[in-house]
């Protein structure tokens, strides 16, 4: 121990230069994590005196129908938004990676642009497309003899709108990740498959998918984490006070409890329950993807 301290003292100038990062990390990252654990056991409005309530926040959480409704919406949006965009991203990456496709750089940029587009601009576009009265989708439906759809008046239709936003925004991001993985697969495997007479579908199923397994696991886990932390899309689209049916999420619910109703202890409890849910789902994803490797 003495030798370690001596080495640190000898390199004190170097540690001094890197200390700002660690100080800020401790203040703004580590401390809030531990403080939220403490806060979850108290009732506090952010100004007055804290009142210790033990597990009352968690007890109320599991009996609150609004929380369960938000969780159901979250799961539905996760399934409707993330599963299709991951599948489409994999197909797009496979097609771009094909040798017959030209202008690969253009396609990379075109598919990635939605990911860096401002969320407010995205919401304005989708409100114009799916508006109840003057939306482009309803206009086209009427032109072909179908009736209008009240996109923001029913839970399922509202989820479809947000799921479409998620697919449009994040498909290109995941496609770029898949594309980087595809480019690392030895071309000899594809050439051998072609010589053996394998079709494109067979090549995709027998070579591409197995070789991309670690990258697919990464994208699925990141999409799971992001899907259960979805906030910006429903918040900008529907607001926080009275969101459209089917658009309330756990993070939106937590934000409303903490920053609208100033119930910070309860909001902290919600955040830890969400952490456990995401951890369980991530563990399930890990087990499912690695069950054949055991």
């Amino acid at each position: 121990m003495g030798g370690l301290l001596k080495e640190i003292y000898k390199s004190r100038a170097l540690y001094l230069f890197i200390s700002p990062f660690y100080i800020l990390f401790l203040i703004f990252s580590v401390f809030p994590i531990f403080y939220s654990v403490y806060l979850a056991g108290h009732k506090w409005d952010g100004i007055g005196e804290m009142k210790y309530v033990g597990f009352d926040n968690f007890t109320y959480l599991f009996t609150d129908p609004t929380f369960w409704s938000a969780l159901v919406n979250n799961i539905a949006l996760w399934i409707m938004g993330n599963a299709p965009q991951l599948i489409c991203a994999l197909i797009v990456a496979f097609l771009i990676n094909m040798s017959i496709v030209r202008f690969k750089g253009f396609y990379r940029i075109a598919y990635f642009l939605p990911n860096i587009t401002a969320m407010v601009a995205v919401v304005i576009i989708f409100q114009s497309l799916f508006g109840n009265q003057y939306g482009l989708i309803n206009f086209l439906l009427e032109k072909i003899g179908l009736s209008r759809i009240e996109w923001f008046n029913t839970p399922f239709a509202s989820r479809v709108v947000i799921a479409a936003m998620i697919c449009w925004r994040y498909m290109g991001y995941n496609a770029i990740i898949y594309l980087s993985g595809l480019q690392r697969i030895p071309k000899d495997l594809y050439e051998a498959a072609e010589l053996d007479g394998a079709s494109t579908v067979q090549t995709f199923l027998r070579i591409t998918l197995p070789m991309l397994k670690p990258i697919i696991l990464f994208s699925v886990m990141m999409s799971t984490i992001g899907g259960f932390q979805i906030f910006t899309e429903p918040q900008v689209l529907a607001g926080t006070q009275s969101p459209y049916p089917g658009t309330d999420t756990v993070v939106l619910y937590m934000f409303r409890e903490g920053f609208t109703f100033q119930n910070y202890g309860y909001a902290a409890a919600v955040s830890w329950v969400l952490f456990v849910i995401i951890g369980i789902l991530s563990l399930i994803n890990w087990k499912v993807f690695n069950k054949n490797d055991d």
Side-chain angles (χ1 to χ4, degrees):
M1 186 66 180
L4 177 62
L5 294 175
K6 187 177 181 180
E7 289 297 325
I8 294 176
Y9 179 77
K10 287 170 62 177
S11 305
R12 60 188 182 279
L14 300 176
Y15 287 108
L16 181 63
F17 281 113
I18 66 173
S19 62
F21 166 78
Y22 289 101
I23 293 173
L24 293 175
F25 178 75
L26 289 172
I27 294 174
F28 294 104
S29 295
V30 177
F31 172 73
I33 292 175
F34 289 100
Y35 188 71
S36 66
V37 177
Y38 173 77
L39 190 60
H42 292 76
K43 184 177 181 180
W44 186 46
D45 61 2
I47 300 175
E49 184 179 354
M50 284 187 177
K51 179 182 178 182
Y52 179 73
V53 294
F55 290 96
D56 288 356
N57 286 328
F58 294 96
T59 303
Y60 176 75
L61 170 66
F62 290 116
T63 58
D64 185 12
T66 306
F67 167 76
W68 291 108
S69 175
L71 182 59
V72 170
N73 291 334
N74 230 140
I75 295 172
L77 290 173
W78 174 53
I79 295 172
M80 296 170 63
N82 286 284
Q85 64 98 359
L86 288 175
I87 295 172
C88 292
L90 185 57
I91 295 173
V92 166
F94 181 75
L95 294 175
I96 293 176
N97 193 56
M98 294 178 67
S99 58
I100 61 174
V101 176
R102 302 177 61 189
F103 309 112
K104 297 180 185 291
F106 167 77
Y107 289 113
R108 290 192 191 99
I109 295 172
Y111 279 106
F112 191 73
L113 274 177
N115 190 251
I116 59 176
T117 304
M119 195 65 241
V120 175
V122 175
V123 171
I124 292 174
I125 293 171
F126 276 82
Q127 284 178 334
S128 301
L129 290 174
F130 292 95
N132 288 339
Q133 298 299 324
Y134 305 105
L136 179 61
I137 303 297
N138 278 334
F139 172 77
L140 295 176
L141 289 175
E142 288 187 331
K143 284 294 182 182
I144 61 177
L146 300 177
S147 58
R148 290 173 174 266
I149 298 176
E150 299 293 326
W151 293 104
F152 300 115
N153 292 340
T154 60
F156 180 77
S158 298
R159 292 167 187 160
V160 169
V161 176
I162 296 179
M165 293 172 61
I166 294 172
C167 288
W168 184 81
R169 185 172 174 82
Y170 295 105
M171 185 188 72
Y173 169 80
N174 286 290
I176 296 300
I177 294 177
Y178 290 142
L179 185 59
S180 66
L182 286 170
Q183 292 174 344
R184 293 179 177 271
I185 299 176
K187 294 183 179 180
D188 297 344
L189 296 176
Y190 291 110
E191 294 173 357
E194 186 177 355
L195 290 174
D196 290 338
S199 65
T200 302
V201 175
Q202 289 174 327
T203 301
F204 180 77
L205 295 176
R206 300 295 179 86
I207 297 177
T208 304
L209 285 181
M211 296 295 290
L212 279 182
K213 185 176 178 180
I215 296 179
I216 294 175
L217 172 60
F218 169 79
S219 63
V220 168
M221 293 190 70
M222 294 304 296
S223 296
T224 300
I225 295 171
F228 276 84
Q229 291 180 340
I230 183 173
F231 169 76
T232 307
E233 289 85 350
Q235 193 272 337
V236 177
L237 181 69
T240 57
Q241 292 295 333
S242 55
Y244 298 134
T247 63
D248 200 11
T249 64
V250 176
V251 176
L252 200 61
Y253 171 77
M254 178 181 66
F255 177 87
R256 187 167 59 245
E257 290 293 333
F259 296 99
T260 301
F261 302 138
Q262 283 77 48
N263 195 351
Y264 294 104
Y266 182 65
V270 175
S271 70
W272 278 103
V273 171
L274 181 61
F275 170 78
V276 172
I277 293 173
I278 292 175
I280 293 173
L281 291 174
S282 299
L283 182 61
I284 292 173
N285 287 331
W286 179 269
K287 291 292 185 181
V288 168
F289 273 82
N290 291 280
K291 65 179 181 180
N292 295 326
D293 297 336
D294 297 336

